[in-house]
Amino acid sequence: MIGQGSFLPVLLWTDALVFLLVAVLCAFAWSCWRNENLRRGWRRVAGNSIGMGSAVVLALFVGIGLLDSLHFRPALEKPGEGGKAAYSVDVLSVLDLLVAPLRERREKTYSAPLAAVSFQKETIERPDGAQVREFPRLRHGGAHLADPADRAADVALRAVAGLLAGVLAAGAFCTLWIAAIARRRRAAFRATLVDIRRGVGDGVNWRALLVTASVLLVLAGPVVVLSAHYHVLGTSKIGQSVLYLSLKSIRTSLVIGTLTTLVLMPFAVLLGIAAGYFKGWVDDLIQYVYTTIESIPSVLLIAAGVLLIQVYMETRPGLFETSAQRADFRLLMLCVILGLANWTGLCRLLRGEALKLRELEYVQAAHAFGVSHWRIIVRHLAPNMLHIVLISAVMGFSGLVLAEAVLSYVGVGVDPSMISFGTMINDARLEMAREPMVWWSLASAFAFMLALVLAANLFADAVRDAFDPRSTVRRAGFRIGPVRGPGRAGERA
Amino acid sequence: MIAYLLRRLLYAIPILIGVNLLTFALFFMVNTPDDMARMQLGVKRVTPEAIEDWKRERGYDRPLFVNASAEGGARFTDTIFFDKSVRLFAFDFGFSDDGRDIGREIRERMGPSLAIALPVFVLGLFAYVCAALLLVFFRQTPLDLAGVIACVVLMSVSAMFYIIGGQYLVSKAWRLAPISGFADGVAMVPFLLLPVVIGVVAGIGSSTRWYRTIFLDEMGREYVRTARAKGLSEMRVLSGHVLRNAMIPILTGVVVVIPSLFLGSLLFESFFGIPGLGSYTIDAINAQDFAVVRAMVFLGSVLYIVGLVLTDLSYAWVDPRVRFA
């Protein structure tokens, strides 16, 4: 267990970038606040019930991901040589601490959701010496039951209690939230409640926020209550709670979806604007570069990149102190490779936009006044392209989350030791072939991924509608390239 | 027209050279053949002699660009660059790291890949366009809304779940089709049914939505109003006018993938055990066979560029206004 207050903070590469991204987003939010156009766009997103609802779901996922990005190494009980504190090689996150029971209560192997007995029969020695083959009791799941036959009643009772707790929590949340709004509007609580229910007021769709948050809280209630005594989503082959695996996968997905965008942004923006603004040989050169990269099927480009990273890491053991750092480096490199393979679509769009904008009168006027190229680009071009960048970043996210799963399955995704939806699905393939079937980890991966990707898709649509009613930006994102799942044609750039 | 085509083809050459140089740099300069050998032979306890042997067997023991020890033209031809990269232009792919002829493998495996990719492509295109036209026909009704919601939900599901779910339902629970495998000739049909159906279903969400957007764009044009004013039925407006005018944006996305159908699909072929180029690529990736991956990268780029040229040709075919400068 964790020693009292003794830990070694660990800043993984992706953690650092995640927090850099948070900083960038804060800066972006601040500039949105000052820019009337952008503020109006966000108001439209906030006023849209689907946009608001999906934003709440995404915020939950992002919260989990951020908690999972604060890493540290707990101190070992015994101090090392020379009285210096020794630290465990396990890199844990704050999320691990919060859900410590989920992580620590491991079974021997598979068990079904909410089960009290193991999935496989084992030979057990009875106290009287006779050997029988039966399903052994689980170490933790339903361990409080005297007789496993009482399980159904116990589960039902706890589920109802959890549901009630969830409803109470939702009620409390809504009350507090409405009270806060009422206070800000200096209106009566009752009047605010009526306003929100009718959807009138400050243009922000509070109703969608409260409904979504309530649904999430009511769903979370039984899960939290039941997981005190059961494995709500079952356990995996090595006895890990599937719920824990699913929660940990969220960070991997989010990191892939966001850091890739962070990596590709400078290439796409700088080169796209330069090509469109300077024209001439700069344009020719940049067009040549991106056509060349585009012409390589992106799965193969990514595969080639990841293979090279693998070679690099294999031939240099001792580069990483812990296996978490190793897996993290591979995750980072995967983001870099995905970014390098995917900047071309946005670059093309921005080039077209820059070509159009540079001919406009105010840019020509700035030119005539002798404003430098750099200033024209920063002051006049870039702000007018911000919405394209924003829309394509938001729209690319869900494609990247889906791509992570496919790439991990193909073997060029995240490190096999890293918990991700892709590795969960990969393991589930063999589990599906078992008799009886182990369906719960696949089902959990499915449910969590669907929730994340669906929320991301709906949010992206809301953002696109709000910032670009003419919707000139196509769903860019990840292009599985010619070697792709037939029929996933919509993922083309 | 021919002059235009020739120019497009000439333009393709520098791109292919670029691809070639890029892959060469990635595979031979960022990571040297020594690294590859060490990787293949196991990182620990590998003797320099073993590495040299491994390199000699595969022809990686020569200099990169200039062979100072050779005479005449061989100074430049007896190098890794010439042997492994320049020869790709003649579609001479050489041998994989386990000693098989890559060119022969590719020729043999194109058939099975095409057998699954082509039906998925054709049936899928038909199904998506029909579904999109249906949604546009019922636009601004609850049916359209339900359709769009269904599309967003369907596109949020990873293709892998469609495959695993389909295999479970159709093959395991209902026992309608074999779960995976392949056979030659007519015997392949039962093996193709499931992957083709799943392939079409997996793409229905995103593609239908995309085509719907294209059609809706066209619906706002003047000619639609004119057609309606002439008294044409909505069906005729859609099928005769909107569909034809939407051909350009549709073709832009569709034609370019046709040559690449040969490459098959990594996911479907590995899940359904189809011995096509997709599963070949996956096997090569898992075995870290760089020669095969390099060959596939080059082949993929060639097919993509062919697709671009075909796209331009198709514009001329559907739209008489397209005049090539």
Side-chain angles (χ1 to χ4, degrees), chain A residues 288 310 432 461 474 484 487, chain B residues 14 172 203 209-210 265 288:
Chain A
Y288 171 70
Q310 269 179 351
M432 293 292 286
D461 285 349
R474 284 201 235 156
R484 62 152 176 251
Chain B
K172 241 180 131 180
R209 210 171 94 116
W210 171 233
S265 145
Q288 302 186 326

Side-chain angles (χ1 to χ4, degrees), chain A residues 101-416:
Chain A
L102 286 182
R103 188 173 63 84
E104 283 158 6
R105 292 190 323 200
R106 286 170 69 153
E107 303 294 342
K108 237 192 271 173
T109 178
Y110 292 120
S111 69
L114 301 172
V117 293
S118 179
F119 173 69
Q120 282 158 321
K121 280 192 177 171
E122 272 176 37
T123 311
I124 300 174
E125 200 166 326
R126 285 276 172 82
D128 56 13
Q131 287 193 339
V132 283
R133 272 190 78 72
E134 60 169 27
F135 296 107
R137 289 290 297 268
L138 293 178
R139 262 182 244 159
H140 303 285
H144 63 295
L145 296 173
D147 179 8
D150 303 338
R151 189 184 60 100
D154 187 59
V155 167
L157 201 67
R158 283 173 196 279
V160 171
L163 219 53
L164 282 178
V167 170
L168 278 180
F173 177 81
C174 290
T175 313
L176 283 175
W177 198 273
I178 295 171
I181 297 173
R183 201 184 150 84
R184 214 186 61 187
R185 287 190 195 165
R186 296 184 190 172
F189 182 85
R190 225 185 143 70
T192 319
L193 177 70
V194 172
D195 277 358
I196 286 174
R197 198 189 285 163
R198 289 208 199 118
V200 292
D202 50 5
V204 178
N205 200 325
W206 297 114
R207 192 178 46 188
L209 181 141
L210 293 177
V211 169
T212 318
S214 303
V215 169
L216 289 174
L217 283 171
V218 171
L219 281 179
V223 174
V224 171
V225 171
L226 281 171
S227 46
H229 292 98
Y230 293 96
H231 299 289
V232 178
L233 297 177
T235 54
S236 72
K237 184 172 185 179
I238 49 168
Q240 283 174 301
S241 162
V242 172
L243 179 60
Y244 174 71
L245 295 181
S246 307
L247 289 176
K248 292 289 276 185
S249 301
I250 292 172
R251 175 178 185 266
T252 317
S253 284
L254 290 175
V255 165
I256 298 255
T258 53
L259 288 195
T260 303
T261 314
L262 190 70
V263 171
L264 70 84
M265 222 39 107
F267 292 96
V269 172
L270 290 179
L271 295 179
I273 293 181
Y277 180 77
F278 292 111
K279 301 217 274 192
W281 65 269
V282 180
D283 189 21
D284 290 339
L285 183 71
I286 292 171
Q287 276 199 68
Y288 171 70
V289 171
Y290 72 60
T291 319
T292 305
I293 292 182
E294 251 175 19
S295 74
I296 302 178
S298 71
V299 164
L300 291 177
L301 190 58
I302 293 161
V306 172
L307 283 183
L308 297 177
I309 293 300
Q310 269 179 351
V311 173
Y312 180 83
M313 284 164 55
E314 293 272 324
T315 47
R316 287 162 188 79
L319 204 60
F320 307 101
E321 229 177 291
T322 60
S323 66
Q325 278 164 331
R326 197 186 141 81
D328 180 74
F329 180 74
R330 175 146 171 190
L331 179 66
L332 175 70
M333 283 300 137
L334 184 64
C335 292
V336 171
I337 293 165
L338 275 169
L340 290 181
N342 275 311
W343 59 274
T344 55
L346 179 59
C347 185
R348 195 183 274 277
L349 270 177
L350 291 177
R351 172 183 168 269
E353 192 68 12
L355 273 177
K356 204 171 76 190
L357 288 178
R358 80 186 293 277
E359 303 300 334
L360 293 186
E361 275 161 6
Y362 68 91
V363 179
Q364 296 291 327
H367 218 53
F369 282 127
V371 180
S372 72
H373 290 314
W374 177 246
R375 254 189 107 69
I376 290 182
I377 288 176
V378 172
R379 292 295 298 263
H380 299 301
L381 291 189
N384 287 304
M385 297 184 185
L386 209 55
H387 69 285
I388 297 185
V389 175
L390 173 69
I391 295 171
S392 81
V394 178
M395 298 204 87
F397 175 82
S398 59
L400 288 166
V401 172
L402 292 176
E404 182 275 322
V406 173
L407 292 174
S408 297
Y409 169 76
V410 172
V412 291
V414 296
D415 194 83

Side-chain angles (χ1 to χ4, degrees), chain B residues 33-50:
Chain B
D34 282 35
D35 288 333
M36 282 190 263
R38 219 167 288 148
M39 180 88 183
Q40 292 278 338
L41 300 171
V43 178
K44 284 165 195 153
R45 286 172 221 275
V46 53
T47 58
E49 293 79 38

